[in-house]
Every structure is written in structure tokens, then in C-alpha cells.
Amino acid sequence: MKEVAKLPVRNDVPAHLRWKTEDIFADFKSWEKTFSATQSKINIFSQFQGSLSGSIDNLYKTLNFYTGTAQAVEKLFFFAHLKKDEDNGNSEYQGMLDRAQGLLIKFETESAWLIPEILSLPSAYLKQASSQKRFADYRHFLGNLLRKKSHVLTSQEEKILALSGDMAQAPRYIFSMINDADIKFPAIADDKGRKVELTKGNYIKFMENRDRKVRKKAFTQLYKTYRQQKNTIASTLSFSVKKDLFFAQTRQYSSSLEMALFEDNIPLSVYDNLIDSVHQYLPSLHQYIDIKKQALGQKKLHAYDLYVPLAEEMQDAYSYPQAIKTVKDGLSALGTDYMSIIELALDNRWIDVAETKNKTSGAYSWGCYSCHPFILLNYQNNLDSIFTIAHELGHSVHSYLSNQRQPYINSAYSIFLAEIASTLNEIKLTEHLLNHYRQPKKKLYILNHYLEQFRNTVFRQTMFAEFEKQIHQMVQTQQPLTYQNLSDIYSALNKKYYGPHLVMDQGLEMEWARIPHFYNSFYVYKYATGFCAASAISQQIKQDGAYLKQYLDFLASGGSDYPIVLLKKIGIDMTQPQPVNLALKQFSKLVGQLENLI
């Protein structure tokens, strides 16, 4: 019996491959000290209540106290969450995060009166305050509050909603515990006959394996494991959707979708136009699937064939240092100012590299205003992981510049903008690799990789967005979200999007059960719109070198204005279908190039 390869524990990983959380808090004692001090500040926040109409000075002091306390709460929560993500099975970290979550809820509860009281002030009073120089940092914040006035409840009602915060987060946290801590996949034999533990982190690596039996086994075992939890996960998703509807109806929105888009001041038409545009270009996706089937020499293309590369020559493993060099070379087109921030991240342990036991799956970049961003990876020595590094570094540069140039109140950029920098990094890395490799088969591999990124980011995320829209509409019309209903909807969409050339294997209908983004409703469409915006920005950069400064200024603008407005300032109008259609036309063109290379 061959020994099963197991994930390392965290202490087995060299320090330089682990993020340096000491940059947030030097130790747990410092965290506890700040926790206690912040708790005391929250306890006295009510002393400001009722004073805002007394003088503009009181309004200014209250806003400063509020933002200062919010920064501290954010920092505490951020640190606790990073520690929990290092090891989801560590009960001490779970306890820290639970306390931080409780402190966040307490802060939201104790400050719930603030927004209603500000909105009760006469508009002329708020305009007078905003006109003062000292209120410059708060102008967009106050103007945005007035826009939201009809959806803000009374002080007492807001307090009740704030008190429900812990319960509202329950579906997402329960799913996280199922997905990241409790669910275990079996070991399977790789193409060399070695038994390897299947994980969410190495699943795609199995899907890229040239041995079809290995791919099929990984696919079958992954979804067999999720199917064992089908009713539980269906319940968590159902109650997450019901939670969204509760808040939408309470705040007098017509739907959960309207509530989600209203936060960013995004017209509903942007969401619908995305789906409509993608529907028009589904024949291009069907053509791509057919080309892939022919290139792989298969009579039928199965779901477990979708990720396998078309060119075997690019199957070399990439060490982490090799990956970093490739990323740096690819992103150099974005200029020295941009690259100086990349160097900061790489030289100062912003990145947690290796997959370890009980570590949160996937990848992300996340930061707080009081510290630089951090990047979580589960590096797998393949090209996809190199693109993940580039992707997450885009997020980090965006956050770093925003925090450097904006006050706290304006530092958080909209999620609608969040995927632009990350996707642009991937586009530039692709361009670099296509120029670097001269051999037709290697170009084929890179082109296919880019088309896969397009498929996953634009077509697949739009399919997810349509899935979300349908299941939220079902709950709004009082239809149940059972495992079977969810699977039927998902199956129908898969058939529509992927067309007649892909076999709908058993298990594929369960894919919805492993998508964590569904617990952050109406988020995924922004991957697609962000990709399309990034494509337009990339073309501008190639045409005009001076545009780089505009792009960096855009990244540094944070949340200082509405996302549609900030994009228009650099010539990208997402209220019109053109950016999406141009990107989809580019996909069609590249599919033709792929066919010529095969």
C-alpha cells in the first residue's frame, strides 16, 4: 500500500512563504489591548446621540469619533479573520473571530442611530456643513446618505436590524465551516499511481491532468462528496437568499437585486444588459467547446475535459520563485510606479503561499485601512496559480493606492470596481506570455488559457449571475429552494450556456453547492463587467502610454465617487453595452485564431 500524500501543517512551511500578520498586531496581547480599548469607545458612543442638530461642530466630532472607532473594529476583525483562515480547525482562532464579529455587531448596534439622525437634519444644514473645508473628506459620504434616505429606517428599527447581524451571517459561516473545515474528500490515484488526497485547492490541477481517468475520478469523487451534503447546503443557500429578501423588503426595495445594485448606484439595466449581451454571443462559446472537443480527439466532451490544456508542452511545473519572476516580467508594462508596489508586497511577506491543513481554500487579497493588504494563496505549481498571483496582486495594488491617497471614509472602493485591476494584470500577463513563446503549440496553450479565463470570468460568472437572479426571484414569489430545484435550474443553465457539444455529466448539477460567492449575493456579475472594463483599459494603455497615469489615479480614487462616475472619468462607460460587446467580439476573434493554430 502506497503512502497517501497529505497536506503539510502550517509550521512545516518556511516563514518567508507565510504572511506576516505581526504587521497588523505584534502579538495576541496587543490585539486584546486594542479590543478592550475599542470596546470602551463603543460603550460611550451613545453620548453623541441627539447632539448633531445642536451644532455643526458636534456633527464633525461625531463623524471623526465614528470613523476612528470603525478603523479599530475593522483592524481587530481583519486580524482575527486572517488567523482563522490560516487554520479553520483552530478553536482559539475561531473564538477570536467570534469575538471580533460580536464587537462588530455591537459597534453597528450602538451606532445604528447615527445615519437616521444625520438624515433627520435639514438638507440645508447638511449642505452648509459639506461646504466647509474641514468636511471635505465627508462630502461624498453625506451626499450618498441623502441618496439612500428613502431606504433608511428609524433609529430604533436600524438598531433592531443591527442586532440581527450575527443571525444574518449564519448561512455564510455555516457553509464556510462545511466547505473549509468539515468536508473531506477521498484520496485518489494520480497519473503515476500515487495516492493523493483530493482537495479543493488541487482539484483544478487534477482537471488539467492529461490522463482522462484521473480527471474523471477527481470530478466524480468531488461531487459525490458534495452530494452527501446536498440537503444541508441547499438549506444554507436557501436561508441566505431568504435573508437577502428580508432586508430588501424591510428597506423597501422592490427586490434583493435592486438592493444589491443600489448600494453602488448601479442601474438595474447594467445587470440585465450583461446577461442579454452574453446570450447573443453564446454561439461563440459553443464554437469554442466544439473546437476543444475536436482538438482533444474526443467524440464527446465531458465536464471533466473542460480544463485540460490543448498543448501538452506547457505541463511543466513552476516553482514559486519561477512564478514570481514570470509575474514581474508580465506586469512590467504597467510602469515603474506600479511595480514598486509589487516589490513591496513580495519583499515584506504580504503573501501566504502554501496550501496547508485546514487553511481556507481558494485565494484572495484583503486589507484594512490601518495596514497593507494581505494575499492568501494555495499555490499549486501550475500556470493557473501564476495567473492567480497576478490577479491577487492587482487587488492589493488597488487597495494600497486607495488607502494611501484617500481618507478612511472614502478608501473602500466599490466591489463593482474591484475586479478591474486584478483582471488587467491577467490580461497583461497573457500578452507577455504570447510574446515570449514563439512555438505554435506554446502559443496555443497560452491562447487557450486566456480563452479559459474569459470563459470562466465572463460566460461562467454571467451564468452564475443568471442563476442568482432566478433563485432570488423564486424566493420572492414564495417558491421553495430545495436541492432538486437548485439542481434543475443549474442544469438548465449549463445546457443553455455550453450548448450541444458538452455532456452534462452527473455531478455537474451540484456545482452550485460549492460556490461560496452565492452567499454574497449578486457579486459574481462584477467579475464579468470588471473583465470587460479591464479589456477596454488594456487597449487604452497600449494605444497611449500617458494613459497609465490616468489608470493609477483611478486606482487611487477608492470610493471617492460612484463607480460608474469613476470609470467614465477614464473613458469607460459601463452603462452602455459597448464595453461588454467589445470584449465578447474579442473572444469570438480569438476563438477563430485558436482554430487556426490547431
Side-chain angles (χ1 to χ4, degrees), residues 152-195:
V152 176
L153 308 181
T154 66
S155 177
Q156 186 60 30
E157 289 168 336
E158 288 290 342
K159 186 172 184 176
I160 293 171
L161 288 185
L163 285 168
S164 73
D166 252 343
M167 292 184 293
Q169 293 299 321
R172 181 166 68 90
Y173 275 101
I174 292 170
F175 174 75
S176 177
M177 286 295 102
I178 295 170
N179 200 43
D180 293 320
D182 292 342
I183 199 165
K184 301 297 178 186
F185 303 98
I188 63 172
D190 65 11
D191 53 352
K192 294 180 175 61
R194 299 173 301 194
K195 283 284 186 178

Side-chain angles (χ1 to χ4, degrees), residues 116-139:
E117 186 165 327
I118 291 175
L119 289 177
S120 71
L121 300 173
S123 296
Y125 184 88
L126 291 176
K127 289 179 181 178
Q128 181 186 358
S130 295
S131 68
Q132 295 184 9
K133 185 177 180 179
R134 58 177 170 164
F135 276 89
D137 290 348
Y138 296 110
R139 281 173 193 153

Side-chain angles (χ1 to χ4, degrees), residues 8 32 90-91 104 125 129 167 171 201 226 287 289 306 358 422 456 476-478 487 523 560:
E32 290 288 356
N90 186 307
S91 59
L104 175 62
Y125 184 88
M167 292 184 293
Y226 275 105
Q287 180 189 2
I289 298 298
L306 275 176
N358 291 331
S422 56
N456 282 304
Q476 188 158 0
T477 55
Q478 299 181 332
S487 297
Y523 175 96
S560 59

Side-chain angles (χ1 to χ4, degrees), residues 28-95:
F28 294 125
K29 184 178 180 180
S30 299
W31 187 89
E32 290 288 356
K33 184 178 179 180
T34 302
F35 187 97
S36 178
T38 305
Q39 194 171 43
S40 297
K41 291 182 71 176
I42 292 172
N43 288 337
I44 65 170
F45 191 70
S46 60
Q47 72 182 14
F48 294 95
Q49 188 171 2
S51 70
L52 304 190
S53 61
S55 73
I56 290 178
D57 282 346
N58 287 345
L59 174 61
Y60 183 69
K61 290 175 183 177
T62 302
L63 288 174
N64 284 342
F65 190 89
Y66 172 80
T67 55
T69 307
Q71 283 185 57
V73 172
E74 176 190 66
K75 187 177 180 182
L76 289 161
F77 181 83
F78 177 56
F79 180 82
H81 213 299
L82 291 193
K83 301 310 289 185
K84 194 274 288 186
D85 286 347
E86 290 178 2
D87 183 357
N88 284 277
N90 186 307
S91 59
E92 181 182 2
Y93 296 164
Q94 292 174 14

